[in-house]
Amino acid sequence: MTMPLLPTSRADAVASAKAFLGAQSRVRPLEIAFWLLAFAALFVGRSHHLLLAEITILALFAVSLDLILGYAGIVSLGHAAFFGLGAYAAGILAQSGHGDPLSGLVVAAGVAAVAGFVSSFLVLRGADLTRLMITLGVASLLYEAANKMDWLTGGADGLQGILIGPLLGRFDFDLYGTTAFAYALGVLFVVMLALRVVVHSPFGHALRAIRDNRLRARAVGIPVERRLVAVYTLSAAIAGLAGALSCQTTAFVSLDVLDFHRSAEVLLVLVIGGSGRLYGAIVGAVVFRFAQDVLSAMTPQYWQFWVGLGLVILVLIGRDRLDDLGRAIVARILPARRSPEGTP
Amino acid sequence: MTLALETIGLKKTFGGLTATNDVHLRLEKGARHALIGPNGAGKTTLINLLTGVLAPSAGQIRLDGVEIGGMGVEARVRRGLGRTFQINQLFPDLTPIETVALAVSERSGRGGDWWRRVGTRGAVLDEVVDVLERFGLTERMREPTRTLPYGKQRLLEIAVALATKPRVLLLDEPAAGVPEGERHEILEAVEALPKDVTVVLIEHDMDMVFRFAERITVLVAGAVLTEGTVAEISDDPRVRAVYLGEG
Amino acid sequence: MLTILFDGISTGMLLFVLAVGLSVTLGLMNFVNLAHGAFAMLGGYVTVIAMQRFGVPFLATLPLAFLIAAVVGVILERTLYVRLYGRPHLDQVLFSIGLVFMAIAAASWAMGSSPQNIRLPEELKGRFDVFGVGIGRYRLFLTVVCGVLAVALQLVLSETRFGSRLRAAVDDARVARGLGIDVQTVFALTFAVGSGLAGLGGALGAEILGLDPGFPVKYMIFFLIVVTVGGSSSIVGPFLAALMLGIADVGGKYFVPEIGSFVIYALMIAVLIVRPNGLFARPGR
Ligand SMILES: Nc1ncnc2c1ncn2[C@@H]1O[C@H](COP(=O)(O)OP(=O)(O)OP(=O)(O)O)[C@@H](O)[C@H]1O
Ligand SMILES: [Mg+2]
């Protein structure tokens, strides 16, 4: 209470607080390097572009989960519901003659957002377990619906006759997947640009507050329900984007997009890369996909075993400790920056 | 003249236990009021009822003459009812800057902004720093809350509550668990609260209560035993029997 | 009509035996064990292997299915699960999904991915008529076995010393410890019995639920429904929930096959919206 109230010290404090918040959201060299590298990959190694497109889409899906899990603290076992909805929306649209990718993307995101908005009210209440059940239940419900409505979805055979038009009316989707990769990467880039604004905004901070302590979040005046509905809707929309991309770049949708293993997988991807920092989702997608390749080359049918083992070990070691390890490595690569901890 | 805070026949039962029993409270604007009572008397429960964390079994709550009993927690905060918690309820991963900024943003109607960074509006940060400075928290304002010493966390509890600009502030044992040597810091902070804010202090430390309060309400087994000035309460033999006698 | 009701009841009883262990682990250890179905699958495969490779008669494989699942359960509990008590639910979810993936891969590696058939003994095959109601012999057998188990469990919980310790530990592990109850042993024993029952259920259910490596995931949501709808504060809730689920499932698939399992998921979501803590949970918990 005896802090001197000299004007200079106060101005200093304000400046210091401002600098602190600014540093948190500053663009890091590593970030720029990553995007340069990613876009550079468009011009080399064509044979890998299909794989890279797939990874990019997985990363986008994981980013959408990060919003609700990493920031708002909602554990979902059914995030594939929105991915699948987006995929089917884009697929059905293309099947019925509206093959323009970008408008399909927008429609898919809209459909997923509406579903996210409606189901968000179901995940507001109850404990973790109730939420797990509701998210799992919603996804199972959609899976079952897609399975039974075969006149619309093609049922177990998948959606037939998807014709995707050229991107922006000019670039056809080629066999190597270069257009697909460019398209997916472009969408991911735009989404990441938008989200790095969102997570450093008052809204983004409110989400972290809700995750950390709901009781206090309310006592601070945060309308918890409203914020959660908003973020759940946003997350669903982005998952819908990922689903639509997956449909448009492969010209195929099957029940698999709604399957439980997909929800579990994206959870794993996010956890591998670290939740609550956006870029973790991308790291996770890269690591996961490469691990999948290596493992399935070793034991083609049973690579799931290794994924499971990985999960078990990851949890037993502790996600926090892996986090610290990751940070230590990054700190060694980028020494002596007085950057604050936390999200990039 | 309307009262800052008034309760009428407030009641709360947990199964068979009556934790709050027919409580009538009347607080004038700017009052310095203490709420005392032995452990388990129902003090925290009363605060939870007032702030909407718990729903009352019966009774009414009026803030500045307006019935708020049916409102949600955050609506009451917006109307100017702030509180602190007996057991720290902070955001472990957020820094004091971010914590207080949340309260300021919500209060100024910017809490839903998602398109611009926290603190790019100059006024918000000025206010954040004002509040932090008042509680001597600027030095470590850039570190995650969980790394702060316990005493500082107790101060942050009050700081973040004050940042919501409450008209009535409910302090639930602000010095709970703070070592003897640092308690004065909390007391000074409490005494330096703005005069126009109505303050209700729950506290077991009688020295602190007598120094701070103008009037005191004594709660026993959920019901108001008596209410009066500091002198009246300290001389009341019943209070000595049930409360002071114990400690 | 009554046949369907009876089929539903027997399916429900089976689901109860399968899921009751999960309900107790959840209530007791506050642990979300998504891998519970893996123990059921293990029991099913024990029966298959014992019958096909060693010619053990069906009935004799049942105790074996219980025992092996229980032993594997207790080993995993002591070595792995115990490290995750009190950890965030996300960790528990990830961990048990990991176990599920491993179990699925291991099962398809060892047993192939095609569904397994169990040859029931002659005396359990076919159906007979009671006042015009067709009753499958095996269904009747299931109902009797599971009914006896349910009653036995309820008696153990309410009448024995172990039961009262278990209930004390469920109510508040810390207080129970203070009373000198060896909570660790209670945990381990309960986990063993729960896994064993799942194994037994898997063996019993192979005939009507099917048995293939996808079992743990396919029925995970069923078990979870039993537990969440029934609440985990007693075994009566899960029992009623399992009965309802069995009847709804069999009835739904019979009367409105076009929408299949849709009904169940929709019902579950509806219940959880109205009662987030389950239909039969004690209020205030
Ligand atoms: N959510 C609840 N459910 C059941 N009983 C409760 C609940 N909250 C409080 N109680 C009971 O209500 C009574 C009053 O508790 P409360 O916490 O309000 O007391 P207090 O006066 O704040 O005590 P202390 O001085 O120890 O903080 C106690 O007997 C407590 O056990
Ligand atoms: Mg209290």
Side-chain angles (χ1 to χ4, degrees), chain B residues 14-15 17-20 37-46 48 54 86 172-173 202 204 219, chain C residues 284:
Chain B
F14 295 112
L17 176 83
T18 306
T20 306
N39 289 115
K43 305 179 293 291
T44 300
T45 303
L46 181 57
N48 284 337
L54 294 172
Q86 183 171 357
D172 195 350
E173 301 195 28
I202 296 180
H204 285 296
L219 211 58

Side-chain angles (χ1 to χ4, degrees), chain C residues 31-63:
Chain C
F31 190 98
V32 184
N33 182 17
L34 298 181
H36 188 71
F39 295 103
M41 180 172 74
L42 176 65
Y45 278 120
V46 165
T47 291
V48 168
I49 293 173
M51 286 175 72
Q52 289 178 356
R53 308 239 170 110
F54 304 101
V56 183
F58 174 71
L59 289 180
T61 64
L62 295 180

Side-chain angles (χ1 to χ4, degrees), chain A residues 77 122 125 128-130 132-133 137 140-141 144-145 148 260 271 302 304-305 308-309 311-312 315-316 319, chain C residues 26 80 84 87 89-91 93-95 98 102 105 109 220-221 224 228 257-258 262 265-266 268 272-273 276:
Chain A
L77 267 185
L122 309 179
R125 299 210 300 153
D128 273 355
L129 181 69
T130 315
L132 283 180
M133 289 301 301
S140 310
L141 200 76
E144 208 51 45
K148 296 290 173 183
F260 169 74
V271 172
Y302 311 116
Q304 255 202 349
F305 182 85
L309 187 64
L311 262 177
V312 168
V315 172
L316 287 178
R319 290 180 290 128
Chain C
L26 192 73
L80 298 180
L84 289 160
R87 290 269 285 273
H89 282 150
L90 176 62
D91 279 347
V93 164
L94 292 168
F95 169 79
M102 288 169 75
W109 173 75
M220 176 170 75
I221 192 160
L224 288 171
T228 42
E258 16 353 296
F262 205 88
Y265 302 143
M268 170 197 79
L272 289 182
I273 293 168

